[in-house]
Amino acid sequence: MAQPVDYFAYGTLLDQRTMREIAGEWDRLLRGRLDGYRIRFGPWSDRWRGHTADLEPGPGEAVHGVIYRILTPQLMDIVSAHPGYRTIPVSIVTD
């Protein structure tokens, strides 16, 4: 059974059109901040026509993004669309 999940997005999935193409619609959208991390740009991606954005620990830093309320099958769609992608539980500060 599909369960709701809050998904913190940064990078390409900040674009709502891209998010809809990959995962469909969502129930809720909030601004959020992930403290203690920073964005690290990785290798070039022909698919995204740019460098991939990854998160790494960054004491005293923060990553700004959005929180989408989606269902677990949609989360699997996001993971499938991003080879090598992994999810980790984090605490997000919201406005």
Side-chain angles (χ1 to χ4, degrees):
M1 175 181 262
Q3 297 293 317
V5 61
D6 288 334
Y7 173 75
F8 178 69
Y10 63 95
T12 58
L13 293 182
L14 288 173
D15 178 51
Q16 293 180 18
R17 182 179 40 196
T18 301
M19 181 66 171
R20 277 190 188 92
E21 288 172 3
I22 294 172
E25 294 297 323
W26 50 86
D27 289 337
R28 180 178 66 180
L29 180 65
L30 300 170
R31 286 182 290 179
R33 184 183 76 236
L34 176 58
D35 291 334
Y37 286 84
R38 66 177 162 235
I39 293 179
R40 177 182 57 83
F41 290 98
W44 177 266
S45 167
D46 289 332
R47 178 179 181 182
W48 301 112
R49 296 183 304 268
H51 292 272
T52 59
D54 300 314
L55 296 181
E56 66 181 12
E61 299 192 47
V63 175
H64 293 265
V66 296
I67 303 168
Y68 293 100
R69 168 66 55 92
I70 58 175
L71 298 173
T72 49
Q74 292 171 289
L75 179 58
M76 294 302 103
D77 291 341
I78 293 168
V79 171
S80 296
H82 297 82
Y85 192 84
R86 65 186 179 97
T87 61
I88 59 170
V90 294
S91 295
I92 305 297
V93 178
T94 59
D95 294 339

